[in-house]
Amino acid sequence: MENKLISRHLRFLSQLMELHGENPFKIKSIANASFKVDKLPFPLNGKSIAELDKIDGIGKSIAEKIVELFETGSLKETEHYLSITPEGVVEMMQIKGIGPKKVAVIWHDLHIDTVGELYYACNENRLIEAKGFGLKTQEQIRKTIEFNLAAQGKFLYAQAEGVVYELTKIFNASFTGIKLAVAGEFRRSMEIINELVFVVAAKDEKAIFAGLNQLPTLTFSEQNGQSWLGQTEHGLDIKIICCKPEAFTINLFKATGNDEHVEAVLARIEYPDFQPKSEEEIYQKAGLNFIEQELREGITWIKKASAGELPELITFKDLKGTLHNHSTWSDGVNTLEEMALYSRDQLKLEYFGICDHSKSAFYASGLSIERVLQQFEEVDSLNKKLQNFQIFKGIESDILNDGSLDYPDEILKRFDFVVASVHSNLRMTEEKAMERLIKAIENPYTTILGHPTGRLLLSRNGYPVDYKKMIDACAANGVVIEINANPLRLDLDWRWHQYALEKGVWLSINPDAHRTTGLWDMHYGIHIARKGGLTKEQCLNALSAVEIAQFFESKKERILHDKRSIVL
């Protein structure tokens, strides 16, 4: 073991000790020794404790640690600290821009113990509220985490969206007379993008190939027939398929659907080598109704297309309001009025549902009962002030560890609607998670089940759930399930939308917005809702302001009816 490695071990130990608030003099001593060891002009290997003790800046205690490292390759003291530190917290210590003191604040004060949760907190603007943090530090941490995620070669849809926009501009500026379209996972609106696929049509394909090599933002590693494989400057794999103009449509079709879907459609066509003018023509020749790009996964939708049972997918224009939003009352960036006005004036919506955090979410400035009542007063005042717009009183109530909601019934009944969400104690067995969720779903005041698995894409798996039991319980209790539109969540997973819809469960595309611009995340919710086959007829916030007010009121009437029935 070289001196440099010994130095790293000692420095890591000092950082762990600082993280756990140990004696600062001892921490400084070990940190200084780490620096000294790294600069020594001779190797330490083979020296006894007595010999090491005589070296300036080491001393007997550190000499013993050095000998232990040479003999065992590790330190018992380091192993002890690692055993009492969550793995995600240790991972945070590798993030450029934050040292042990800041990690300790993130862990102990904000109760964040994974990098994924930290990234989510940065997007929610929660870090700037913590001691020792500012907007600049928060932004640096967010960018570092994004860089590390990119190094894994996987991108969120929202991240890939920016890359697609940049590349489209570059292609159109670099080549004339081309026809260009994005295909693959991105065109199908997959939540995670592993590879970007572009189809480029031009009369002179050789000129395109030659020009691709000149683009500064792309690095190509392989040419395979008509396809060029490489990477973007962001680290995202890319495939560019070049073809003649007359072959553009068939190549776009083949590059869009997954293999199973494409093969199944082409197998229904007698002469699959034809040159269609549109994708509609391809499906027509296959004896199918046109299948939207988001649905081109496998054969499920092919069967529905054959039977004429394809849904008319929801669009952003179908949304009449936005539910599950935060303001400066809890951990939001913008005031309640700013959020409402943005929804009305920029998104042209009819209503806004405020859902600040409940009292148990102290890390997010959750609302005490007194503050809930104060917020009600502001909502009432704004509803008198704002024209042609309605603010609904909601809350994102924590689902507590025993499955109960965060306020007593006399407070819960005063909200127009309640979004029930799990935010704490996420490391549960499936049995515990389901017990907790089912109890919350069965609570008569639960209107919407929020981000039902708690997942953070590319960062944190959700707690284990039995999807069928969860959805069945929502169906039985008239609870709406959220499609959390934050691109880090997109939860409920699109793969379970059809099961929910078939059971009669309504879905709600909620942005979980913490600032005005976050309201636009509903676009990502629309993408994933279309992928799951959602129509406006089963989307809660596609109801008008009058209709959703009636929906909330009917829910309250059912609660009163059920309570009277129990008394009788």
Side-chain angles (χ1 to χ4, degrees):
M1 189 178 291
E2 299 177 356
N3 287 8
K4 191 170 288 293
L5 197 52
I6 294 291
S7 171
R8 288 176 187 165
H9 273 281
L10 293 174
R11 184 168 65 252
F12 184 50
L13 173 59
S14 70
Q15 291 170 339
L16 286 171
M17 292 172 67
E18 189 174 1
L19 177 69
H20 286 276
E22 299 292 1
N23 187 312
F25 296 105
K26 188 176 179 182
I27 294 168
K28 188 175 181 181
S29 172
I30 295 173
N32 287 339
S34 168
F35 179 78
K36 290 273 188 181
V37 167
D38 189 37
K39 302 299 179 183
L40 289 174
F42 53 83
L44 296 179
N45 196 5
K47 294 188 180 296
S48 65
I49 292 175
E51 290 172 316
L52 292 168
D53 185 17
K54 294 176 183 177
I55 299 172
D56 181 46
I58 291 184
K60 185 178 179 182
S61 174
I62 293 169
E64 290 173 347
K65 288 179 173 56
I66 293 172
V67 170
E68 183 183 352
L69 281 168
F70 279 123
E71 289 178 351
T72 68
S74 62
L75 288 172
K76 288 182 180 178
E77 195 170 358
T78 299
E79 296 303 318
H80 164 69
Y81 287 118
L82 287 174
S83 70
I84 58 174
T85 310
E87 188 177 335
V89 173
V90 176
E91 191 180 347
M92 282 183 217
M93 292 172 66
Q94 315 306 315
I95 297 174
K96 185 179 179 182
I98 51 174
K101 284 184 179 177
K102 281 189 167 64
V103 173
V105 171
I106 292 167
W107 179 22
H108 297 301
D109 296 355
L110 299 180
H111 301 274
I112 294 170
D113 62 5
T114 71
V115 173
E117 289 170 298
L118 177 58
Y119 183 55
Y120 188 70
C122 288
N123 281 277
E124 287 186 329
N125 238 43
R126 196 180 296 168
L127 250 65
I128 61 174
E129 302 296 328
K131 183 180 178 181
F133 289 85
L135 191 60
K136 188 176 179 181
T137 303
Q138 177 179 270
E139 188 63 11
Q140 183 181 354
I141 292 169
R142 186 182 67 80
K143 287 182 177 179
T144 301
I145 295 173
E146 283 182 351
F147 178 82
N148 292 340
L149 288 174
Q152 300 172 17
K154 297 177 183 293
F155 282 64
L156 299 174
Y157 179 93
Q159 294 171 324
E161 187 177 46
V163 181
V164 168
Y165 177 74
E166 288 175 23
L167 288 175
T168 299
K169 282 202 324 183
I170 290 169
F171 283 137
N172 287 325
S174 302
F175 306 108
T176 57
I178 65 168
K179 196 170 184 180
L180 173 73
V182 66
E185 295 169 329
F186 186 84
R187 191 170 181 230
R188 297 201 310 275
S189 296
M190 291 292 286
E191 64 272 42
I192 301 297
I193 308 300
N194 297 283
E195 178 187 57
L196 279 183
V197 180
F198 281 90
V199 178
V200 183
K203 290 180 179 179
D204 188 353
E205 295 172 75
K206 291 182 180 178
I208 300 295
F209 283 141
L212 289 174
N213 271 324
Q214 305 305 314
L215 297 181
T217 57
L218 298 175
T219 303
F220 290 100
S221 57
E222 180 185 347
Q223 181 182 353
N224 182 8
Q226 288 182 300
S227 302
W228 276 41
L229 308 177
Q231 269 197 344
T232 71
E233 61 180 342
H234 311 85
L236 179 55
D237 285 346
I238 186 168
K239 177 192 287 186
I240 298 176
I241 300 168
C242 291
C243 63
K244 294 289 186 184
E246 59 270 21
F248 178 79
T249 299
I250 192 66
N251 275 284
L252 178 60
F253 167 76
K254 289 179 178 178
T256 295
N258 71 357
D259 291 344
E260 186 182 13
H261 180 89
V262 172
E263 289 169 8
V265 172
L266 293 180
R268 299 171 66 98
I269 300 174
E270 189 174 355
Y271 302 106
D273 293 332
F274 75 114
Q275 300 294 339
K277 293 180 180 179
S278 68
E279 288 185 301
E280 285 83 355
E281 186 183 346
I282 296 172
Y283 286 100
Q284 186 179 15
K285 283 191 177 293
L288 302 168
N289 289 347
F290 177 71
I291 299 177
E292 297 283 359
Q293 58 209 38
E294 296 94 342
L295 302 181
R296 299 181 196 176
E297 305 279 351
I299 61 173
T300 299
W301 293 106
I302 293 176
K303 293 176 181 178
K304 290 182 181 291
S306 179
E309 297 174 352
L310 286 175
E312 184 176 342
L313 300 181
I314 192 167
T315 68
F316 192 84
K317 289 181 180 179
D318 292 323
L319 300 183
K320 304 302 181 187
T322 173
L323 303 169
H324 189 174
N325 302 287
H326 301 266
S327 72
T328 49
W329 279 93
S330 63
D331 59 345
V333 176
N334 293 98
T335 65
L336 174 53
E337 183 173 10
E338 288 169 341
M339 295 290 283
L341 286 173
Y342 194 92
S343 299
R344 184 191 71 178
D345 300 338
Q346 301 300 318
L347 276 67
K348 308 301 180 186
L349 298 174
E350 298 178 11
Y351 56 87
F352 174 86
I354 184 63
C355 273
D356 278 308
H357 286 284
S358 63
K359 59 187 175 68
S360 289
F362 53 86
Y363 53 84
S365 302
L367 275 61
S368 64
I369 291 176
E370 182 182 11
R371 293 180 67 225
V372 165
L373 300 178
Q374 289 170 353
Q375 189 184 70
F376 282 178
E377 291 178 3
E378 184 182 7
V379 172
D380 290 338
S381 175
L382 286 171
N383 276 333
K384 291 176 183 176
K385 174 182 174 182
L386 300 178
Q387 296 181 346
N388 302 315
F389 195 78
Q390 177 78 26
I391 300 175
F392 289 102
K393 298 169 184 173
I395 194 75
E396 185 178 18
S397 174
D398 268 30
I399 297 174
L400 304 180
N401 202 45
D402 65 353
S404 61
L405 299 189
D406 204 8
Y407 296 107
D409 287 358
E410 56 264 29
I411 297 299
L412 290 172
K413 72 181 181 182
R414 298 187 62 173
F415 293 104
D416 292 317
F417 70 107
V418 174
V419 175
S421 307
V422 172
H423 288 111
S424 59
N425 301 323
L426 303 182
R427 294 183 179 86
M428 301 178 279
T429 62
E430 183 179 304
E431 182 181 8
K432 173 61 180 176
M434 292 311 301
E435 176 187 314
R436 193 172 171 185
L437 286 172
I438 297 298
K439 184 174 178 180
I441 291 166
E442 290 176 344
N443 189 306
Y445 294 102
T446 297
T447 316
I448 302 172
L449 180 62
H451 43 74
T453 72
R455 74 180 188 182
L456 293 175
L457 295 168
L458 294 181
S459 305
R460 180 183 77 199
N461 292 328
Y463 35 84
V465 300
D466 183 322
Y467 280 94
K468 289 187 176 181
K469 283 185 180 178
M470 180 180 73
I471 292 168
D472 289 349
C474 287
N477 292 276
V479 171
V480 178
I481 298 181
E482 174 177 85
I483 300 174
N484 190 292
N486 186 300
L488 276 161
R489 290 190 183 274
L490 300 178
D491 183 18
L492 179 71
D493 191 303
W494 62 268
R495 296 161 185 84
W496 287 96
H497 291 186
Q498 277 303 295
Y499 183 81
L501 298 174
E502 288 165 3
K503 290 290 182 176
V505 175
W506 282 46
L507 304 179
S508 183
I509 300 171
N510 297 341
D512 198 354
H514 286 70
R515 65 192 79 195
T516 53
T517 52
L519 291 161
W520 287 103
D521 282 352
M522 286 195 294
H523 281 284
Y524 301 117
I526 285 289
H527 287 314
I528 218 69
R530 286 173 62 86
K531 189 161 190 63
L534 180 62
T535 66
K536 67 179 181 180
E537 286 76 20
Q538 278 186 272
C539 178
L540 181 65
N541 54 317
L543 294 176
S544 68
V546 172
E547 290 170 333
I548 203 165
Q550 292 172 344
F551 181 94
F552 293 150
E553 189 58 36
S554 64
K555 172 91 173 171
K556 289 187 175 185
E557 288 174 359
R558 285 197 301 273
I559 295 171
L560 286 173
H561 177 269
D562 291 344
K563 286 191 173 183
R564 287 172 185 152
S565 298
I566 291 171
V567 171
L568 293 174

